[in-house]
């Protein structure tokens, strides 16, 4: 019945629409009423910002004059706040849209709810509903026309869930959306039209038909009501009903009930008191400050009112100054009651939309008689408000970022003004009247359009700082500065300076600080600035630098081309000097003569030696000389105060013998990547005075003899001695390092770790991968152990204590091919947050895999010293329905949510985009932008760098060579090794590395802070997420396609932290020495850590084996097939022997992570359970297409695609991300950055539970009912949780087989029986205590709400797998026999019921679908009508 109503309503809407178009003639160009566009998800304001693809909602038609508007009342679906829809555009509406790309749909939301509600389970259920109105219009339709047709008062726009602005009558909403999408990166007008009609866009740009009500904003702006009031403390006064108002800094009490016409009693609260009256319920006493304090008692009606007034009044009375903060409230005017607070001295109105007119407009601000500070920045004023020049008491005025063109002459009236901020405008000149402000001492002119220093500054004698960063100054005449004798601090960074010169010999004596960073200087002579103390000149192109050294204290000159630095006289006051990343081949003599130098950075130069006088300096405390050409370090002659010494990446064969006992204060020493064969002793005697705490010896030629020399460093906390020649580590020596906290022994030849490691009671990190260790070390008894990495070793068994330390968070045992874990062991491991284990595989399985794809991968992630892992990896070796691959890395810097979401969605989005375009730059760009949109509310404040690599055949030549398409935003990078040389494939989108991006951001009038961050947030100009920084930060990626050839050996993907420490060439050389991609990735991360990286590190290594001569494929036959979903990382291969365990490949990079809640009963004790022993059947009788190892028979979700052969190939099961990534936990802070003070919108935290609101595609396996075909299959059914391939893990109670996260298709079993199985009970509702599963309803773009999320200690996000009802493929009768044969060949893994005949009526609707499904994850026979099939999917899908 509901379906009929929907169809009838649709018919009515379509009829009325057409009638309106016909009646109005050209009205159709301006607007009409339509139904929803297909596949458009409607968001609710006030509810979780998620929606379902297959849900339904009955629309109602609202007829208005002219433009007809379809009004939709959104309905809740269950307890998760989903909205549903079923209707689609009619053919006439689609034809109308197709007629012109300048036509489109605008979604109008009602204003009855908060635009950004708290989405937290039960609270959301009581939220009022919002109305959604869909309006057809064109890009020429103005707000005035829309309001006139719908009798509205105005329209409002909200960007990124932030401020809400009233639109001007002449603005055009649809054109605004088109411009926004074009700025994001969409280029195709048709795609822009489609995206504009997608209401998912509401998280980025949203229109309201009336101003949204924000209860929290109203509370902090104005409180009022009628309450019982008594004046004074005397009992003689009577209680009376009065109007009471709390606004600004005062309590206002009316003398007449319900009226504001009589006398108003004003009670200043700043410095006063607000106290609870215990004798009366819900009563507060308000008192003013001072000797003649007045008191009012107010009795509130409800507890809510009492708490609200008490909370707000307490903030006011606690202030020391009369400050009113109304920033970020989308105000057009201040509350009129605010003018009663005549004691206000500081008024903050930044980030609003203040207007001039109206009772609370800017024209009325002079009514504040004591106002001293006024902040009006970011108010879109456009013109300088002259009315503020009438507030003669002002001492501070901020008008930054208001697009001001000029400053009026009335500015001269503000004689008391001391601070004037005009940054981020379009000013090119200043009025002469400004020079009359004698008390002005701070003038901000940064990021304007000045081409020279304004002359008026000569008269501003009190101004001591010239702040003109980000302007257009191309030349600096030092004589001009000499005339401005009052200027001491000059900031000219980010200009276009090409030369700085002095035409005369006059000294510039007043300037002490000069900032010339990020300009175009090729040389710099500042010898005439005699009193210069601090100079910043980084990131120029200078070859020479000349300075005066009389008062020089700090010199920052990194990232130039310096070969000579001349300073005269010797700078005896110099304490800090940074000359890194230059071309210095020797160190100037004057450096050794500096008496007070404490820090010297000489890294990344061409130095071949260090002067002996420098190292023996009595003032030097920190010397950084890594990445040079040093062959020897001079001997130490006497005791020196050196505390930190970095000599990594040189050519040192030895260190000075006296280093440790002459440098007794040395706490940090890094000599990694040298040629050391030994280290000096810690002392000359048995007693050592060493204070060394961190020692990095990675990448040398040290042997086990060095262990004895380490004993003297008894304060050692961190020891990295990886990738040396250690055959063993002396047990007696290790026991003496009792303070050791972090030990890295990776990449040696160790066969065991001494049992004396148990003496290191403070050890929390042990990394010993890539050795020959056979016995698990005795480290699980250590009380503080957190991380143990023993991957890529030769472990066979693990002997464990009765209990594990509660501190253990991560255990990596991958790459140990002989390791067998018992049931008891797995049970002990169940509490570990991140457990990484290998998948097992027989030799035959491995052989079959080796020929399946010409590439394989490995990856590594390390959290470093951060408390959480904010990086994620996407890795799919078999992507789509042919030989393709997809790899990606995502770095969230300080947030973990966005990388996880991108990991789960981006592969799906790429598959969808490949359906629409075969042009690399188009589908890659759209993949990034669509992923940006799908981040939803989580992407409003959080963001991440992203890199995506797609290996494929060119569409024009499907049988030809492979190509690699790379796209990236942010700082993640990809490097291809070709003939042993690195080939960079990505572009680093950071302000420091990309000049054109810096110019673009400057043109958009962003404020770039001194650390080169946009608004102080990020150094990246392109990210996924962080939409609130638009248009400065965009999601449009760099896209590059590189044809692959036989000379291409491997591909390296890494984040910023990796390539900041490891150069491209070193990364290539490192991987060349390691055959296993996983071990290579781990080595890269270990090297980066040993080189000093403290942040999260991630690396992916893809080994390529592409041969141009090995392709023997027959020419491909054109078919109607489309690209399918990404398949499993490793295809599930079955051993032919009846008794051999059907285990999985242990190829590099494939791990199975066990959730911290997975119990032993769920894991199962049969790690190598036997699957069906039936041999794969041969292919169809028809002659098979001949395929080569490069282009094997394509598979689709574990079923051979028609026309291919599966006789010798076992295709992989379909998997969607998250698959290869490690969903670990490192003391997550639930979405909060360490610097954040409050939870972010869209990231909902409830204790240890976490929800991220996002539009996300997930997958599931389908459970089919039917009879088993063999006794083995029946045996498989009886085992319940013991899948044939052993171990499982659960994410949000999703049962995942150990097939590297593959979602295993289980057939031949009654659903009723499945419900009884403990391992599959989570499929049918909330059965498990540690989490819940999304009920298989019509919604799929859904993440569990916080109250239903798993109770993990980490709060990490994991995505539940869910079924998409539209992703169904029905096999045509012509292919039944062939598919039946392919299914039979797979019965060793999955029991398949007989293929029934398929009604002809079911063929065309799927195969001839105009938009083929992006993920054909359910290629199954259809046993009945379509509704029955879909209902069964709903009942059984995850």
């Amino acid at each position: 019945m509901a379906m009929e109503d929907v169809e009838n309503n649709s018919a009515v809407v379509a009829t009325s629409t057409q009638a309106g178009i016909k009646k109005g003639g050209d009205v159709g160009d301006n607007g009409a009423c339509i139904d929803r566009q297909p596949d458009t998800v409607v968001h609710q304001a006030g509810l979780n910002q998620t929606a379902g693809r297959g849900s339904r909602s009955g629309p109602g038609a609202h007829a208005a004059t002219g433009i007809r508007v379809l009004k939709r009342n959104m309905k809740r679906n269950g307890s998760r706040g989903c909205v549903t829809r079923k209707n689609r555009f009619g053919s006439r509406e689609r034809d109308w849209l197709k007629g012109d790309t300048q036509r489109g749909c605008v979604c109008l939301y009602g204003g009855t709810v908060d635009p950004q509600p708290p989405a937290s389970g039960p609270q959301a259920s009581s939220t009022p509903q919002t109305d959604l109105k869909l309006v057809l219009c064109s890009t020429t339709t103005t707000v005035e026309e829309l309001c006139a047709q719908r009798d509205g008062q105005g329209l409002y726009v909200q960007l990124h869930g932030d401020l809400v602005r009233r639109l001007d009558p002449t603005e055009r909403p649809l054109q605004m959306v088109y411009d926004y999408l074009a700025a994001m990166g969409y280029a195709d007008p048709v795609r822009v039209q489609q995206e504009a009609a997608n209401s998912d866009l509401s998280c980025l740009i949203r229109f309201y038909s009336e101003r949204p009500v924000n209860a929290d904003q109203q509370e902090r702006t104005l409180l009022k009501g009628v309450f019982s009031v008594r004046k004074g403390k005397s009992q003689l006064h009577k209680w009376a009903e009065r109007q009471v108002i709390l606004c600004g800094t005062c309590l206002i009490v009316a003398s007449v009930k319900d009226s504001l016409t009589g006398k108003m009693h004003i009670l200043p609260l700043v410095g006063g008191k607000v106290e609870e009256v215990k004798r009366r319920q819900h009563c507060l006493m308000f008192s003013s400050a001072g000797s003649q304090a007045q008191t009012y008692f107010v009795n509130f009606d409800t507890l809510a009112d009492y708490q609200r007034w008490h909370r707000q009044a307490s903030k006011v009375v606690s202030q020391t100054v009369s400050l009113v903060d109304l920033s970020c409230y989308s105000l057009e005017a201040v509350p009129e009651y605010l003018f009663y607070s005549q004691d206000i001295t500081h008024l903050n109105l930044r980030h609003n939309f203040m207007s001039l007119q109206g009772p609370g407009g800017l024209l009325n601000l002079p009514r504040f008689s004591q106002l001293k500070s006024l902040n009006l920045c970011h108010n879109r004023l456009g013109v300088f408000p002259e009315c503020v020049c009438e507030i003669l008491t002002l001492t501070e005025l901020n008008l930054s970022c208001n697009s001001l063109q000029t400053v009026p002459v009335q500015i001269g009236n503000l004689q008391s003004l001391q601070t004037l901020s005009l940054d981020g405008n379009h000013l090119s000149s200043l009025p002469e009247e400004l020079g009359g402000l004698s008390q002005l001492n701070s003038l901000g002119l940064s990021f304007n359009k000045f081409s020279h220093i304004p002359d008026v500054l000569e008269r501003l004698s009190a101004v001591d700082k010239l702040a003109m960063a980000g302007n257009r100054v191309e030349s600096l005449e030092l004589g001009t500065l000499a005339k401005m004798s009052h200027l001491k601090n000059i900031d000219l960074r980010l200009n276009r300076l090409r030369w700085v010169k002095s035409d005369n010999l006059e000294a510039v004596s007043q300037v002490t600080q000069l900032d010339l960073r990020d300009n175009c200087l090729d040389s710099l002579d500042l010898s005439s600035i005699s009193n210069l103390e601090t100079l910043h000149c980084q990131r120029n192109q200078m070859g020479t630098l000349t300075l005066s050294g009389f008062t020089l204290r700090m010199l920052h000159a990194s990232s130039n081309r310096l070969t000579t630095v001349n300073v005269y006289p010797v700078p005896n006051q110099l304490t800090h000097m940074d000359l890194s990343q230059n071309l210095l081949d020797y160190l100037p003599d004057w450096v050794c003569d500096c008496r007070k130098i404490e820090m010297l950075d000489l890294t990344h130069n061409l130095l071949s030696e260090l002067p002996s006088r420098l190292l023996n300096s009595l003032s030097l405390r920190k010397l950084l000389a890594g990445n040079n050409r040093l062959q020897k370090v001079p001997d130490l002659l006497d005791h020196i105060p050196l505390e930190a010494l970095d000599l990594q990446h040189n050519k040192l064969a030895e260190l000075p013998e006296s280093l440790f006992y002459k440098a007794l204060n040395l706490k940090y020493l890094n000599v990694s990547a040298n040629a050391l064969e030994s280290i000096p002793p810690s002392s000359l005697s048995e007693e050592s005075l060493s204070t060394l705490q961190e020692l990095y010896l990675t990448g040398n030629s040290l042997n086990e003899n060095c262990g004895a020399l380490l004993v003297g460093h008894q304060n050692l906390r961190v020891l990295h001695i990886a990738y040396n020649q250690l055959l063993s580590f002396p047990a007696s020596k290790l026991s003496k390092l009792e303070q050791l906290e972090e030990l890295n022994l990776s990449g040696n030849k160790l066969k065991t770790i001494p049992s004396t490691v148990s003496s290191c009671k403070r050890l929390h990190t042990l990394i010993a991968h890539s050795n020959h260790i056979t016995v698990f070390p005795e480290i699980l008894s250590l009380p503080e152990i957190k991380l143990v990495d023993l991957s890529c070793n030769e472990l066979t068994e693990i002997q464990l204590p009765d209990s594990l330390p509660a501190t253990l968070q991560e255990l990596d045992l991958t790459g140990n091919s002989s390791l067998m874990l018992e049931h008891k062991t797995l049970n002990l491991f169940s509490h570990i947050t991140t457990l990484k284990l290998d998948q097992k595989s027989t030799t035959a399985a491995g052989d079959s895999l080796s020929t399946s794809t010409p590439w394989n991968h490995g990856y590594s992630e390390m959290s470093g010293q951060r408390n959480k892992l904010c990086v994620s990896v996407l890795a799919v070796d078999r992507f789509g329905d042919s030989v393709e691959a997809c790899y990606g890395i995502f770095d969230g810097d300080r947030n973990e949510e966005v990388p996880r979401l991108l990991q789960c969605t981006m592969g799906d989005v790429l598959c969808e985009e490949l359906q629409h375009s075969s042009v690399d730059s188009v589908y890659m760009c759209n993949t990034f932008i669509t992923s940006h949109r799908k981040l939803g509310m989580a992407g409003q404040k959080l963001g991440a760098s992203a890199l995506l690599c797609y290996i494929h055949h060119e569409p024009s030549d499907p049988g030809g060579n492979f190509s690699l398409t790379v796209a990236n935003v942010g700082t993640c990078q990809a490097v291809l090794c070709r003939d042993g040389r690195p080939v960079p494939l990505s572009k680093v989108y950071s302000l420091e590395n990309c000049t054109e991006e810096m110019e673009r951001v400057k043109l958009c009038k962003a404020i770039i802070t001194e650390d080169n961050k946009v608004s102080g947030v990020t150094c990246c100009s392109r990210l996924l997420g962080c939409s609130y920084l638009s248009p400065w930060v965009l999601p449009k990626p760099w896209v590059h396609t590189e044809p692959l050839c036989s000379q291409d050996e491997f591909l390296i993907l890494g984040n910023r932290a990796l390539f900041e420490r490891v150069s491209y060439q070193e990364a290539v050389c490192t991987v060349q020495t390691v055959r296993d991609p996983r071990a290579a990735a781990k080595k890269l991360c270990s090297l980066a850590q040993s080189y000093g990286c403290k942040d999260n590190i991630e690396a992916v290594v893809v080994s390529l084996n592409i041969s141009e001569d090995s392709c023997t494929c027959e020419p491909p036959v054109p078919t109607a097939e489309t690209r399918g979903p990404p398949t499993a990382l490793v295809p599930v291969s079955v051993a032919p022997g009846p008794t051999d365990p059907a285990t999985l490949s242990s190829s590099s990079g494939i791990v199975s992570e066990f959730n911290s809640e997975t119990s032993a009963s769920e894991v199962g004790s049969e790690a190598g359970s036997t699957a069906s022993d039936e041999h794969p059947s041969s292919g169809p009788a028809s002659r098979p297409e001949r395929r080569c190892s490069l282009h094997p028979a394509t598979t689709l979700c574990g079923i051979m695609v028609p026309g291919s052969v599966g006789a010798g190939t076992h295709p992989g099961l379909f998997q969607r991300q998250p698959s290869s990534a490690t969903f670990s936990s490192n003391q997550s802070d639930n979405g909060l950055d360490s610097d954040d003070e409050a939870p972010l919108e869209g990231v909902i935290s409830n204790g240890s539970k976490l929800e991220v609101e996002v539009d996300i595609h997930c997958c599931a396996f389908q459970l089919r009912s039917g009879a088993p075909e063999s006794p083995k299959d029946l045996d498989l059914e009886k085992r319940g949780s013991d899948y044939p391939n052993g171990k499982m893990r659960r994410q949000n109670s999703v049962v995942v087989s150990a097939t590297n996260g593959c979602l295993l298709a289980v057939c031949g079993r009654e659903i009723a029986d499945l419900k009884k199985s403990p391992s599959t009970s989570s499929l049918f509702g909330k059965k498990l205590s540690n989490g819940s599963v999304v009920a298989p309803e019509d919604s799929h773009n859904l993440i569990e709400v916080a109250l239903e999320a798993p109770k993990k200690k980490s709060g990490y996000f994991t995505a539940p797998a869910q079924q998409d009802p539209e992703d169904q493929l029905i096999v045509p009768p012509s292919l039944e026999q062939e598919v039946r044969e392919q299914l039979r060949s797979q019965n060793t893994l999955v029991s398949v019921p007989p293929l029934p005949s398929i009604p002809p009526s079911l063929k065309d609707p799927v195969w001839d679908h105009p938009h083929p499904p992006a993920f054909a994850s359910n290629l199954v026979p259809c046993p009945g009508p379509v509704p029955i099939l879909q209902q069964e999917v709903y009942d059984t899908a995850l």
Side-chain angles (χ1 to χ4, degrees), residues 535-550:
L535 173 65
H536 289 271
C537 56
Q538 303 98 306
R539 291 179 297 278
N540 279 276
Q541 303 170 14
M542 298 185 301
T544 60
L545 176 62
T546 304
L547 302 173
S548 170
F550 285 107

Side-chain angles (χ1 to χ4, degrees), residues 26 69 101 593 629 774 898 949 977 1183 1197:
D26 296 332
V69 179
T101 57
D593 297 328
R629 301 175 180 178
T774 58
V898 172
C949 298
C977 174
R1183 179 182 181 274
C1197 307

Side-chain angles (χ1 to χ4, degrees), residues 646 648-649 668 670 672 694 696 698 718 720 742 744 767 861-866 871 891 893 1054-1062 1083-1099:
D646 189 341
Q648 62 175 292
H649 285 92
Y668 175 95
N670 194 331
S672 300
E694 297 183 47
Y696 299 88
T698 297
V718 179
H720 283 226
E742 179 178 330
N744 192 329
I767 304 176
E861 299 171 329
M862 293 187 177
S863 59
Q865 294 187 358
R866 301 272 292 278
V871 293
D891 185 354
D893 191 22
N1055 66 336
R1056 173 191 55 83
L1058 175 67
F1059 287 113
E1060 274 187 353
R1061 300 291 177 174
V1062 182
K1083 183 174 181 179
L1084 288 174
C1085 292
S1086 292
L1087 291 180
Q1089 280 193 333
S1090 294
Y1091 297 162
C1093 181
K1094 307 296 183 184
D1095 290 334
N1096 292 168
I1097 312 171
E1098 69 177 334

Side-chain angles (χ1 to χ4, degrees), residues 1279-1325:
R1279 283 199 297 271
S1281 64
D1282 296 335
Y1283 278 88
N1285 295 305
K1287 315 168 192 65
M1288 301 175 303
R1289 63 189 173 106
R1290 185 173 66 247
Q1291 297 173 354
N1292 282 14
S1293 303
V1294 177
V1295 180
V1296 183
S1297 78
T1299 315
N1300 190 32
C1302 295
L1303 297 176
L1304 194 59
V1306 179
C1307 301
R1309 177 180 227 170
E1310 294 296 331
I1311 295 176
D1313 295 335
L1314 280 174
K1315 292 182 178 180
K1316 300 176 183 178
S1317 170
S1319 63
T1320 55
S1321 61
S1322 61
L1323 303 179
F1324 303 94

